[in-house]
Every structure is written in C-alpha cells, then in structure tokens.
Amino acid sequence: MQDYKGLLAEVLIPEDALQRRIAELGAEISADYAGEELLLICILKGGVMFLTDLVRHITVPVEFDFMAVSSYGAGARQSSGQVRIEMDLRVSLTDKHVILVEDIVDTGHTIAAVLELLETRRPKSLKVCSLLDKSERREVVVPLHYRGFDIPNKFVFGYGLDLDEYWRNLPFIGVAKTD
Ligand code: PRP
C-alpha cells in the first residue's frame, strides 16, 4: 500500500489548529453543562478520535457510549441518503443530557436519522457536536449546536475520517488528491 503522502493534496487543518479548537469546544460544553452530568454519544467510526480528545477538555461528570450507523458503505464517496443502525447503544438516554459527537456533517442524513431515533428514548436534552461541517453539501436541515470548522466541499481524510478505511489515525485533516 502506498503511503498517505501520495494521496494527500494538502493539509486542510493542521494538528495544532485542530487541538486548539477542540479545547475551545470542550470549554464551551463544560460551561454550558456546569452543575450537570453529561452523556456523549460517539458515532463510529469517524467520531472516535474527536471524542477521545474532546472529553479530555470536559470538566463536568461525563460518560460516553458508542453507536455505529452506515450511510456511505466502504469505498463509496457519496451519501446514499439511507442509514442503518449497525450497533446500538448500551446505555439508557432517559432523563439524561446527551450530545451526539460526529466527525463530519455532510448531507445531514446520518445525523437527522440518528436524532429522530434517539429523541424517542426521551433524553432530557439532545444536542449535536461535529468537528467538521461541510455545510454547502447539506440536503436536510439539522441542528448543529457545537461546530469545530466549516470546510469546503472537498474529500477530506485523517483524524477519524478514512480513505477506503485507512488513514483515520492521522492527527490532521487532509484533502485527498482527486487524480
Ligand atoms: C460519515 C460521518 C458521518 C456521515 C456524514 O460516516 O462520520 O457519520 O458520514 O455524512 P452525511 O451527513 O452525508 O450523512 P461514514 O458513513 O463514512 O462512516 P465512518 O464514520 O465509519 O467512516
């Protein structure tokens, strides 16, 4: 397999800028939920790097859980507009303050479907935190309460986002070559 450098057109968000913004988001969330307990729900796989860095900056008591949904399918670069629950939560949401943590909101279909599902489980509150917002691609209106960066309509990878399942471990967000 070739190194990621051959696939990288440019670094869009370097590691230090990512980490600075994540610290700000953690501080903002901590202030908003002061005196409360919080449940963060990470949507796998892309959100996992962001979740683990974000929680280090949250100062209120926080638990987290994971769910997996599929929308794109391995290898595809377009959203299908369909989502399927691949792995559900183990915790109850009833009467909890909940934040959904995503790496990216693109068309919005994934987050819209997950919000609709989770609202039926009667959380005390339900918000969305996404590191990246590809807002010009939006097809459905979704609430985005905490947002790291608005990004252009380019195929990005790294820091949780994959290129055909690899390179999620890169500490920065890069733009893939289109060749
Ligand atoms: C990505 C991302 C979001 C979704 C956003 O997940 O993590 O869940 O797509 O796209 P949308 O707003 O157009 O619905 P993906 O299905 O690629 O799975 P992954 O996180 O496991 O890579």
Side-chain angles (χ1 to χ4, degrees), residues 45-46 71-72 79 102-104 106-110 162 168:
K45 303 172 195 169
S71 57
Y72 283 32
S79 173
E102 264 286 24
D103 53 339
I104 187 166
D106 187 329
T107 64
H109 288 295
T110 304
D162 69 304
R168 295 183 194 269

Side-chain angles (χ1 to χ4, degrees), residues 39-158:
L39 168 62
L40 297 191
I41 294 177
C42 173
I43 303 184
L44 296 172
K45 303 172 195 169
V48 72
M49 303 274 285
F50 179 38
L51 174 88
T52 57
D53 281 337
L54 181 66
V55 289
R56 291 169 223 240
H57 298 283
I58 293 182
T59 53
V60 299
V62 64
E63 60 174 330
F64 44 86
D65 198 8
F66 300 88
M67 68 187 297
V69 301
S70 65
S71 57
Y72 283 32
R77 291 188 175 192
Q78 289 292 310
S79 173
S80 60
Q82 306 271 325
V83 291
R84 194 173 63 228
I85 305 296
E86 306 276 6
M87 187 187 92
D88 208 338
L89 299 165
R90 288 194 247 182
V91 298
S92 162
L93 304 195
T94 309
D95 288 332
K96 289 183 180 170
H97 290 296
V98 177
I99 300 180
L100 282 179
V101 176
E102 264 286 24
D103 53 339
I104 187 166
V105 177
D106 187 329
T107 64
H109 288 295
T110 304
I111 213 75
V114 173
L115 282 173
E116 194 180 322
L117 171 76
L118 297 187
E119 284 288 7
T120 66
R121 301 184 186 182
R122 310 225 171 264
K124 195 183 284 180
S125 66
L126 180 57
K127 291 190 177 180
V128 178
C129 176
S130 181
L131 180 64
L132 306 177
D133 180 10
K134 210 184 259 187
S135 55
E136 65 185 82
R137 291 249 312 156
R138 199 75 86 252
E139 292 175 8
V140 288
V141 177
V142 289
L144 231 183
H145 307 90
Y146 302 100
R147 175 175 77 160
F149 300 87
D150 192 35
I151 63 164
N153 185 16
K154 293 180 176 177
F155 192 85
V156 289
F157 71 108

